[in-house]
Amino acid sequence: MKKLSLLLVLVLVMTSFASIALAENELALKAFDEPVTVKVMRESSLTIWFPEGESYQKNVLTDFYKEKLNIDYDVAWITDNGHYKEQVDLAIASNDLPDIFEVDPQQLYRLAMAGQIQPLGEVYEKYGSDKVKAALGLNDNMFFDQATVNGEMYGLPEPNDFADGTSLMWIRQDWLDYMGLTAPTNVDELEALALKFMEGPVDEAGNKALFGIGLSKMDYPSNNFVFRGMSHPYDAYFDTWIPDGEGGLEFSDVQPEVKDYLAKMNDWYTKGIFDPEFAVKEDSKVAEDIGAGRIGIMFAPFWAPLYPLNISLQNNEEAQWIPYPILPKEDGTWKASAWNSCKRYLVVRTGFEHPEAAVLGNNLWHELWQGDYAEYYHGLNGAEYAEAGEDFKIYPPFWFDPPTKNIENGRVIRELWPDPANEDKIASPELKKQWVKMQDYWGGNKDNIVGWAQWNIHDPMWQVFDDYYADGTGKGDEGVLYDGYTGPVTNDIARRLPLLQKLRNETFVAFIMGSKSLDEWDNYTKEWFDIGGQDMYNDVNEWFKNK
């Protein structure tokens, strides 16, 4: 798979944020001559707030779409929180579909193969705004691979930040400072630090950590970040299709290098660095441990200060977490793994007469979130609708995050920080709101933990990406390693994955806990290939060869 360095990608994508004048598509925000009603499906939120008289069906932002595009969103289905996927599956089975709706990659494939949704390539090319095309074109249009079936593009990517799946090493900096220690630079130093945190004292009150590093159940998403962080210094990866050196792809979790980091994790388990009950421990319990000061090291992505690290400050205003790069490989370089950060796609049912409404809605969302209407949007969210908080972005039925927005904002913050007079130099209305919260926290309002989280994300976190992950060496070279398979989640893949993941999860836990010896590694890999892994290899490499 062709890989662009992260720096080159950012140069290509930055056009959506820079002041360069683009020859914007004149159809990108063209309103329909007559009102167009779009039936949609919404998922209820446990936290979303609406002012009196507003709802999912009709609110200030759906009114804005009506005003600017002449689109009426009719919320014909509303699902309970956490049951959206299940409701979409029922709609697919009954062929009673919304006009425009979000799906996961496997649902997209099923719908496309059944002829239940229509291709969107032509309408996207015709109506897509230049800004949206730049934002969604990350890494050689990687997001569109999952949405392409039999040569046709069936879904508009609704991505999150490009670093959504990339691990960092978060450490209790106040503990480091109190003990007069520095951040670890290799595996032995990381082990020593975890043990010292557990020996304590880590503060003047004489406290100590209960566990050195947070770890929960294998089937919990958070462990993706632990294993991605732990595997890196061993030149191994986790849950990733990687180059095989011969022009194809191989799956990371059955490579021999994996045994080395599993052996180290088994050693740490026996030393008590991991909770002895991690195999049944939920993420929420790890968050409780963080909040209670029982854990001092956490592998997590860029957004960790918003959760769960914020709980630590809620309970102790002296707590400070600082991000560090995951440990380097033996040659001193980094090649941090990244997953495809697009998990949702916008699709249009077959027979709906205005598929361009999906594209136009995406264009307008981008202008509200980051473009020409951002002052209006963030002005509302910062004033009349402040109580809605981050949930304000789900007032309209669909939204996405430009994948390189945060790293660009981080560069702005680091250039201007900490002078409060620099606020006037910040162009992004969203970033201005975050800047005010940052200044409020560091100005003495320790209750503004969101301000602390935003500072931590924009300043030290993105500094790690720029200095270590963006180029692999700190000198300008390689970039992060994206999962090599970005193709469609076919029915065969969807059928095999649960069995393969279950085998991997159960076996890795057994290796770590010592109930299974690493001498049985070959038996594990043989079983993995026998129950569907070999078929996965064949399908993935056939796709890769033809890409």
Side-chain angles (χ1 to χ4, degrees):
M1 176 181 178
K2 179 182 178 183
K3 290 186 175 65
L4 300 176
S5 81
L6 182 56
L7 292 181
L8 177 56
V9 169
L10 292 176
V11 169
L12 295 174
V13 180
M14 273 173 56
T15 54
S16 64
F17 306 102
S19 59
I20 300 172
L22 295 174
E24 185 57 80
N25 180 357
E26 63 180 12
L27 297 177
L29 294 174
K30 187 179 186 302
F32 289 102
D33 293 333
E34 299 293 331
V36 171
T37 298
V38 178
K39 289 186 177 181
V40 298
M41 179 184 295
R42 300 296 311 270
E43 180 178 16
S44 64
S45 169
L46 299 176
T47 61
I48 192 168
W49 171 89
F50 289 106
E52 186 176 353
E54 297 191 21
S55 65
Y56 290 105
Q57 182 77 4
K58 187 180 187 301
N59 56 67
V60 65
L61 292 186
T62 59
D63 287 348
F64 192 83
Y65 280 71
K66 169 66 174 177
E67 175 190 343
K68 298 298 180 183
L69 298 177
N70 213 2
I71 292 176
D72 284 312
Y73 290 113
D74 176 14
V75 183
W77 297 263
I78 188 161
T79 73
D80 292 337
N81 184 260
H83 293 277
Y84 179 84
K85 182 183 187 311
E86 176 185 337
Q87 190 63 42
V88 170
D89 284 337
L90 290 173
I92 293 172
S94 64
N95 199 29
D96 184 17
L97 299 169
D99 296 325
I100 299 175
F101 55 111
E102 288 180 337
V103 296
D104 66 27
Q106 201 273 325
Q107 290 170 328
L108 183 149
Y109 182 83
R110 287 166 53 202
L111 286 160
M113 291 299 290
Q116 291 173 283
I117 54 175
Q118 53 185 294
L120 298 178
E122 290 186 8
V123 293
Y124 178 68
E125 182 60 32
K126 181 176 180 180
Y127 292 95
S129 75
D130 296 322
K131 295 175 185 177
V132 167
K133 287 177 179 177
L136 300 185
L138 179 72
N139 206 31
D140 204 15
N141 288 309
M142 171 182 68
F143 296 144
F144 290 94
D145 289 344
Q146 287 187 132
T148 301
V149 179
N150 295 330
E152 295 276 7
M153 190 272 282
Y154 282 90
L156 303 178
E158 306 277 75
N160 294 317
D161 190 283
F162 80 95
D164 205 37
T166 302
S167 190
L168 297 102
M169 187 167 59
W170 295 88
I171 300 178
R172 277 289 297 261
Q173 186 67 38
D174 55 315
W175 292 2
L176 277 180
D177 294 342
Y178 179 81
M179 301 180 79
L181 303 174
T182 58
T185 61
N186 57 51
V187 173
D188 289 341
E189 291 179 4
L190 176 59
E191 177 180 325
L193 178 63
L195 292 172
K196 286 180 179 178
F197 279 174
M198 294 165 64
E199 293 164 3
V202 297
D203 56 28
E204 293 182 357
N207 292 313
K208 59 184 179 180
L210 185 59
F211 312 114
I213 299 173
L215 185 63
S216 60
K217 293 168 62 175
M218 271 296 296
D219 58 352
Y220 270 55
S222 64
N223 279 330
N224 238 299
F225 307 116
V226 178
F227 282 85
R228 286 171 187 266
M230 280 298 303
S231 62
H232 186 264
Y234 296 94
D235 200 13
Y237 292 91
F238 178 75
D239 199 29
T240 303
W241 289 94
I242 58 178
D244 64 6
E246 299 179 357
L249 297 174
E250 59 189 9
F251 195 58
S252 62
D253 296 354
V254 291
Q255 303 310 310
E257 293 84 359
V258 172
K259 290 192 294 182
D260 295 331
Y261 77 78
L262 288 176
K264 177 55 70 176
M265 293 181 76
N266 167 249
D267 180 46
W268 288 0
Y269 174 80
T270 61
K271 292 175 178 175
I273 290 175
F274 300 131
D275 185 341
E277 298 182 355
F278 82 89
V280 295
K281 190 170 188 175
E282 299 184 358
D283 276 355
S284 60
K285 296 301 182 182
V286 175
E288 287 180 14
D289 285 340
I290 288 171
R294 292 191 286 261
I295 291 175
I297 302 168
M298 186 74 186
F299 288 97
F302 77 94
W303 42 258
L306 293 168
Y307 181 84
L309 304 183
N310 61 322
I311 303 174
S312 186
L313 273 75
Q314 289 171 3
N315 294 337
N316 177 8
E317 67 176 25
E318 300 302 320
Q320 287 294 325
W321 291 82
I322 294 294
Y324 291 91
I326 54 176
L327 300 175
K329 300 183 179 184
E330 286 189 3
D331 63 3
T333 65
W334 282 263
K335 190 86 169 175
S337 64
W339 64 40
N340 185 334
S341 62
C342 184
K343 309 298 183 186
R344 303 170 294 137
Y345 288 86
L346 203 58
V347 298
V348 180
R349 70 167 177 83
T350 298
F352 182 59
E353 295 181 359
H354 296 287
E356 68 272 24
V359 183
L360 295 173
N362 258 11
N363 296 341
L364 184 56
W365 164 252
H366 190 282
E367 295 303 324
L368 280 165
W369 187 226
Q370 300 295 318
D372 290 345
Y373 297 124
E375 291 281 359
Y376 168 78
Y377 172 91
H378 292 288
L380 286 172
N381 184 219
E384 298 98 315
Y385 294 84
E387 190 170 340
E390 282 299 303
D391 282 337
F392 191 63
K393 66 189 176 188
I394 61 175
Y395 272 35
F398 314 114
W399 68 275
F400 68 92
D401 215 8
T404 62
K405 175 202 72 178
N406 289 319
I407 194 170
E408 289 305 313
N409 284 347
R411 288 170 178 161
V412 172
I413 292 299
R414 293 198 305 278
E415 179 182 350
L416 302 179
W417 186 263
D419 186 354
N422 282 324
E423 181 180 347
D424 292 340
K425 300 178 182 178
I426 300 174
S428 164
E430 179 196 20
L431 190 56
K432 284 181 181 177
K433 290 191 305 184
Q434 294 169 347
W435 171 273
V436 170
K437 293 175 182 177
M438 297 178 217
Q439 295 288 348
D440 185 45
Y441 174 81
W442 288 112
N445 182 7
K446 298 304 182 181
D447 291 332
N448 193 344
I449 296 173
V450 173
W452 169 82
Q454 293 292 355
W455 165 80
N456 214 329
I457 290 170
H458 286 95
D459 193 335
M461 198 295 300
W462 287 116
Q463 187 70 59
V464 169
F465 263 78
D466 276 345
D467 285 353
Y468 299 95
Y469 297 176
D471 57 26
T473 66
K475 298 178 182 177
D477 184 20
E478 284 286 348
V480 295
L481 177 71
Y482 282 98
D483 193 321
Y485 183 70
T486 57
V489 181
T490 65
N491 293 335
D492 285 340
I493 290 176
R495 176 175 53 82
R496 297 177 189 126
L497 272 178
L499 289 174
L500 295 171
Q501 289 173 342
K502 182 174 185 291
L503 174 64
R504 187 267 316 276
N505 292 349
E506 291 177 350
T507 306
F508 279 22
V509 167
F511 285 149
I512 294 169
M513 298 182 73
S515 58
K516 187 185 290 283
S517 169
L518 278 164
D519 292 339
E520 299 183 53
W521 176 262
D522 289 343
N523 293 334
Y524 154 66
T525 58
K526 181 180 185 303
E527 184 177 359
W528 190 90
F529 280 103
D530 287 346
I531 66 172
Q534 186 60 60
D535 293 331
M536 284 274 286
Y537 258 69
N538 297 340
D539 290 352
V540 165
N541 278 283
E542 181 66 20
W543 170 88
F544 189 68
K545 179 181 70 174
N546 294 321
K547 176 174 162 52

